[in-house]
Amino acid sequence: MLNTRKPITAWAEDDRPREKLMLKGKSALSDAELIAILIGSGNRNESALDLSRRILETNELNLAELAKQSVSSLQRFKGIGEAKAIAIVAALELGQRRRVADTLRQAKITCSRDVFELMQPKIGELIHEEFWAIFLNNANRVRGVVANRNEPFIAHHLIETINISKGGITGTVVDLRVLFKLALEKQATAVIIAHNHPSGKLQPSEADIQITQKIKEASKIMDIALLDHFIITEYDYYSFADHGRL
């Protein structure tokens, strides 16, 4: 069995994370080995790989959980200073952004699940609530995303999602004037709204229902269609349109 307590430089060349990546490719490395490359070294009692494994174990062996950690929380591990913590946070953020970029490259988005895939990396794992708007023009050329309501809408590559407001753990305030001012600036004829529930609960609150109705009524006056309202959590979503609540 490989003795990972030895310095990495003492390992066989094809067992060292960097060399292993060069020889066998990135997919051959475990999550711990990839993190070990990021941090470079461990501490007096642990190699970089041992320390990386312990960091992962503390986060349920789940990169999504690790991505929630701040620079300061990572520095609680002996051997992880500010620079190493920043490297881990930056690498995981790049992973999140790549996921969003992959979604944006899709030729079309034809169902509510696609909206979840777009918005979850943005707000699904936040510990506070945020409210976002997704704008569309009159050709259904998507400046944001449109959900599937009986018939699919064709989505083009141009996508724009805008954060309208940020709040606390239990709620956020939505200013309708800001929402529709942006819609007019974008020359949008339709909008989808979305916010997250840090609690993980999918069911809309009474406040969610009320704000949806207010936006729906205002959208009629502004002649800008409200196509859907999404509640996003870490692992799932709720669509008002899918549930017949628009």
Side-chain angles (χ1 to χ4, degrees):
M1 181 180 292
L2 178 66
N3 182 4
T4 57
R5 293 192 180 278
K6 292 181 180 179
I8 289 178
T9 53
W11 299 1
E13 186 170 309
D14 61 354
D15 285 327
R16 302 174 194 170
R18 289 188 181 87
E19 285 77 0
K20 185 175 179 180
L21 187 149
M22 294 295 294
L23 291 170
K24 301 180 180 180
K26 59 189 179 183
S27 61
L29 275 67
S30 66
D31 293 345
E33 288 172 321
L34 290 170
I35 294 172
I37 291 175
L38 287 173
I39 65 177
S41 61
N43 55 50
R44 182 175 297 180
N45 300 314
E46 297 172 300
S47 70
L49 185 54
D50 287 324
L51 178 54
S52 298
R53 284 172 176 157
R54 185 159 62 87
I55 292 171
L56 280 170
E57 288 169 359
T58 304
N59 288 278
E60 304 175 10
L61 298 176
N62 189 322
L63 290 177
E65 290 298 316
L66 181 57
K68 298 176 185 178
Q69 301 303 311
S70 65
V71 170
S72 59
S73 65
L74 288 169
Q75 286 182 267
R76 291 180 296 180
F77 292 93
K78 185 179 180 181
I80 300 296
E82 183 178 70
K84 292 180 181 179
I86 288 172
I88 294 172
V89 169
L92 291 169
E93 176 61 19
L94 278 173
Q96 291 280 63
R97 294 185 185 189
R98 178 191 170 180
R99 181 179 168 188
V100 173
D102 286 343
T103 302
L104 302 188
R105 281 201 300 267
Q106 295 181 24
K108 64 175 74 172
I109 297 174
T110 59
C111 66
S112 56
R113 182 75 191 182
D114 293 334
V115 179
F116 171 72
E117 292 295 334
L118 179 73
M119 295 306 301
Q120 193 281 335
K122 295 178 181 292
I123 61 176
E125 298 171 11
L126 298 178
I127 61 173
H128 62 275
E129 281 198 14
E130 291 191 0
F131 184 94
W132 287 63
I134 306 164
F135 299 108
L136 298 93
N137 65 18
N138 59 2
N140 282 338
R141 246 175 219 285
V142 177
R143 294 179 184 275
V145 182
V146 60
N148 182 27
R149 296 180 62 195
N150 299 322
E151 73 282 353
F153 289 83
I154 295 177
H156 294 247
H157 291 293
L158 178 60
I159 294 179
E160 186 171 3
T161 56
I162 298 179
N163 177 225
I164 303 299
S165 64
K166 297 180 181 180
I169 295 174
T170 58
T172 183
V173 176
V174 182
D175 191 328
L176 270 63
R177 293 169 298 181
V178 172
L179 173 63
F180 286 102
K181 178 176 181 290
L182 287 168
L184 292 171
E185 289 175 354
K186 302 299 177 184
Q187 298 183 328
T189 58
V191 63
I192 292 171
I193 55 176
H195 77 284
N196 62 309
H197 276 183
S199 66
K201 294 180 180 179
L202 282 176
Q203 290 301 311
S205 66
E206 186 60 35
D208 295 336
I209 295 169
Q210 289 177 4
I211 192 62
T212 303
Q213 290 304 310
K214 285 182 179 180
I215 294 173
K216 182 179 178 179
E217 292 303 314
S219 71
K220 292 177 182 177
I221 296 171
M222 301 297 295
D223 197 23
I224 298 173
L226 175 63
L227 296 179
D228 208 343
H229 182 182
F230 282 81
I231 295 170
I232 306 291
T233 66
E234 185 172 1
Y235 300 111
D236 209 347
Y237 68 95
Y238 180 96
S239 159
F240 275 68
D242 284 356
H243 286 81
R245 304 188 77 164
L246 279 178

